[in-house]
Amino acid sequence: MKNFFVIAVCLMATFAIATAQQPRGGNFGTPEERAKNQTARLDSLVKLTDEQKVKVEAANLDLSKKMADAFRNNQDNREGRRAKMEELTAELEKQYKAILTEEQYKKYLDNRERLRERPRQRPR
């Protein structure tokens, strides 16, 4: 019985340590991974040309790096971080408008609005 108790305590301590090592707020990957994922999502939505894919991925990579910096530099200032991220997103929108055709851009905006109207579901 004593051995069982010792093993149980060791397992609980191991679990607690392993859980504490996980990053908080989720792991969204590197800026490069995020840029590739965002480009792939946009490509599946509007069917980008090869030339557009290169330009969109570069714009997404630039945004991902700037967002990571904004988050790092404004960790204690939630409103400042939010304002900076909105500014960066608006900048990306301008780049998308210049890269995409009018039809593709309209489809992108329609999809974005549809996603914003959908209620957010948070994981528990």
Side-chain angles (χ1 to χ4, degrees):
M1 188 67 160
K2 187 176 180 181
N3 288 341
F4 176 75
F5 181 72
V6 170
I7 291 172
V9 169
C10 287
L11 285 174
M12 288 189 325
T14 302
F15 178 74
I17 291 170
T19 303
Q21 297 298 320
Q22 294 176 353
R24 298 192 186 272
N27 182 3
F28 300 108
T30 66
E32 291 79 9
E33 291 168 336
R34 286 192 305 269
K36 282 190 182 301
N37 290 337
Q38 289 170 322
T39 303
R41 278 194 305 269
L42 186 59
D43 183 34
S44 69
L45 179 68
V46 301
K47 306 297 182 236
L48 298 170
T49 65
D50 290 340
E51 183 180 332
Q52 287 175 320
K53 284 179 190 176
V54 171
K55 291 178 181 179
V56 166
E57 189 164 340
N60 286 334
L61 180 58
D62 184 50
L63 173 79
S64 291
K65 287 180 178 180
K66 287 180 179 178
M67 288 250 190
D69 288 342
F71 188 80
R72 220 176 291 114
N73 295 334
N74 292 300
Q75 281 189 338
D76 298 334
N77 181 357
R78 186 175 184 173
E79 288 303 314
R81 183 175 61 228
R82 181 184 176 112
K84 183 65 175 174
M85 290 188 178
E86 286 176 358
E87 175 188 321
L88 293 171
T89 301
E91 183 182 312
L92 180 69
E93 297 281 325
K94 288 178 187 176
Q95 291 177 353
Y96 277 1
K97 190 170 186 173
I99 296 168
L100 302 176
T101 66
E102 194 172 317
E103 182 180 317
Q104 287 173 320
Y105 189 69
K106 182 183 180 332
K107 195 171 185 179
Y108 162 74
L109 290 177
D110 291 344
N111 185 64
R112 187 189 68 190
E113 288 305 313
R114 184 179 55 80
L115 291 174
R116 284 185 178 174
E117 290 171 2
R118 185 175 73 185
R120 285 195 137 173
Q121 297 176 353
R122 294 184 177 223
R124 294 181 190 245

